[in-house]
Amino acid sequence: MVGDGTRCVHGGYPAAEPGAPLHPAPVLTSAFHLGVPGDPLPRDFYGRVDNPTWRALESAIGELDGGECVLFSSGMAAISAVLRTTARPGRAVVLPADGYHLARTLAEEELAPLGVPVRTVPTAGYWGGAVLEGASLVLLETPSNPGLEVCDIAAVAALAHAAGALVAVDNTTATPLGQHPLELGADLVVSSDTKAVSGHGDVVLGHVSAADPVLVGRLRAARSRGGAVPGPLETWLAHRGLGTLDLRLERQAANARAVATALRGHPAVSDVRWPGLEDDPAHAVAARQMRRWNGVLRFTLASAAAVARFLEASRLVCSATSFGGLRTSADRRERWGDAVPPGLVRLSAGCEDATDLVADVLAALDAVGR
Ligand SMILES: *Cc1c(COP(=O)(O)O)cnc(C)c1O
């Protein structure tokens, strides 16, 4: 099998043909010629159903995920499609108590009123027993956002399958290079490609991959009916971004290691978590199931005011609520309603030079004081 870099650079591009562009342009159309009455329906006939620019990126991501990829207009549209296609009245949906907050809110606000019991489990908690009884779907998020806790995908998948539930894994922090949930036994992998997959902070996009053609068919139908379709231009930009995912991830992971190590030695900082650190509580399980690390870490300062002083003093860390981009960014998660300490910061290491980044972070922390 070829390496990650080669697959990122070449994935989804057509075979060489004289006169054809190396990088096909986005197909910006809502409608396609249908031919004359009686002609068979062409593969492409309407922009809400399919588009060649989608198929190119779906081919690249599907190959990385080890399944068939279905793109959506955002990570939440992807999660919403997974919930809609798997939830059944009277059968529970089980979600992480500490994962991406909107997935939980969506289930609680929109599925529970339709008679779908919604249960939550901490990512690092026990995913077996009564919580799985009568469940139709278990959604995991590992490493979790923002806590960077980890759970054992293969072990939970075995328990969930024995209980008759499907397993979906939100792979956003790990990325399609960092972890292959389908290989580990999951039925579905979802991702917010707004983050590292597109990688430049210029698009909102998501996808679901599955190996079972029945699930793939249901997702495609859900996309066409639900209408949460990606724009061809966003798709094209994400495909261009994917080409450098291997390079970006390598730099981001190296920077995350350097920043996490430096943060640990600073008196203003507590509770530094990055699964790649050998003595992180999540390291053993993460190292077993992840292929490589990424740039997302978290740490805690004394208060919300301390975080504000840190962000004000830093020249390289921008305050933004996304991650996986070229620039290092940080987000104080309590402001969004996550059940975390007010001083908890999720930091996304970017592609700056490690020495510059570490120097900047340490200088900003000194401005915070103790
Ligand atoms: C950002 C994020 C989402 C939502 O994705 P959008 O593209 O913003 O809709 C879902 N899950 C996780 C883990 C995320 O970080």
Side-chain angles (χ1 to χ4, degrees):
M1 193 167 63
V2 297
D4 286 357
T6 307
R7 295 203 292 165
C8 284
V9 168
H10 288 274
Y13 288 102
E17 200 184 305
L22 258 71
H23 294 273
V27 178
L28 298 167
T29 188
S30 55
F32 300 82
H33 288 292
L34 296 181
V36 297
D39 280 353
L41 197 59
R43 176 164 197 181
D44 290 310
F45 58 92
Y46 186 57
R48 184 166 31 72
V49 178
D50 212 342
N51 175 297
T53 309
W54 298 356
R55 287 197 295 275
L57 180 58
E58 285 174 340
S59 158
I61 294 177
E63 196 195 318
L64 297 176
D65 276 340
E68 240 185 279
C69 165
V70 183
L71 285 175
F72 286 88
S73 54
S74 67
M76 278 314 300
I79 290 172
S80 163
V82 166
L83 291 173
R84 283 206 320 280
T85 53
T86 58
R88 299 287 175 269
R91 298 198 53 194
V93 164
V94 189
L95 302 142
D98 50 355
Y100 188 68
H101 60 123
L102 281 184
R104 214 159 43 244
T105 322
L106 175 64
E108 279 160 2
E109 298 290 323
E110 299 190 25
L111 294 183
L114 303 177
V116 176
V118 176
R119 302 175 188 152
T120 61
V121 179
T123 295
Y126 178 56
W127 287 81
V131 81
L132 295 180
E133 248 167 59
S136 68
L137 175 75
V138 175
L139 172 66
L140 305 175
E141 188 180 304
T142 179
S144 64
N145 169 17
L148 302 175
E149 300 288 357
V150 163
C151 61
D152 186 329
I153 295 172
V156 179
L159 291 170
H161 287 155
L166 290 170
V167 175
V169 175
D170 187 327
N171 208 34
T172 302
T173 52
T175 84
L177 297 185
Q179 184 166 264
H180 290 160
L182 298 180
E183 267 173 30
L184 295 164
D187 304 286
L188 300 148
V189 52
V190 307
S191 162
S192 167
D193 301 330
T194 309
K195 318 287 169 52
V197 167
S198 61
H200 294 71
D202 48 13
V203 301
V204 174
L205 201 75
H207 81 264
V208 187
S209 291
D212 177 356
V214 174
L215 289 177
V216 174
R218 272 198 243 158
L219 289 164
R220 285 196 203 289
R223 178 177 64 183
S224 294
R225 290 192 291 253
V229 295
L233 189 58
E234 283 77 3
T235 305
W236 184 85
L237 281 168
H239 199 166
R240 186 167 74 165
L242 180 70
T244 55
L245 178 60
D246 172 63
L247 281 173
R248 288 184 280 110
L249 212 56
E250 190 171 314
R251 175 65 75 95
Q252 287 166 348
N255 282 352
R257 180 180 295 281
V259 169
T261 305
L263 284 170
R264 275 182 160 192
H266 199 281
V269 181
S270 64
D271 210 17
V272 179
R273 293 290 304 273
W274 185 64
L277 290 174
E278 283 65 21
D279 56 355
D280 187 277
H283 181 77
V285 177
R288 224 183 314 135
Q289 70 187 6
M290 293 181 71
R291 301 173 67 244
R292 53 194 287 185
W293 308 118
N294 58 72
V296 189
L297 59 104
R298 60 120 156 149
F299 58 95
T300 303
L301 299 181
S303 62
V307 176
R309 287 200 296 279
F310 169 74
L311 291 171
E312 220 175 349
S314 168
R315 293 188 305 120
L316 295 181
V317 182
C318 63
S319 170
T321 185
S322 192
F323 57 88
L326 292 181
R327 293 191 197 188
T328 296
S329 65
D331 194 18
R332 193 179 70 77
R333 289 305 303 176
E334 193 218 33
R335 72 181 287 184
W336 305 107
D338 283 350
V340 296
L344 184 139
V345 176
R346 183 190 65 212
L347 185 136
S348 169
C351 293
E352 299 90 345
D353 291 287
T355 43
D356 295 337
L357 192 55
V358 168
D360 177 77
V361 165
L362 289 178
L365 284 174
D366 288 341
V368 169
R370 292 189 186 207

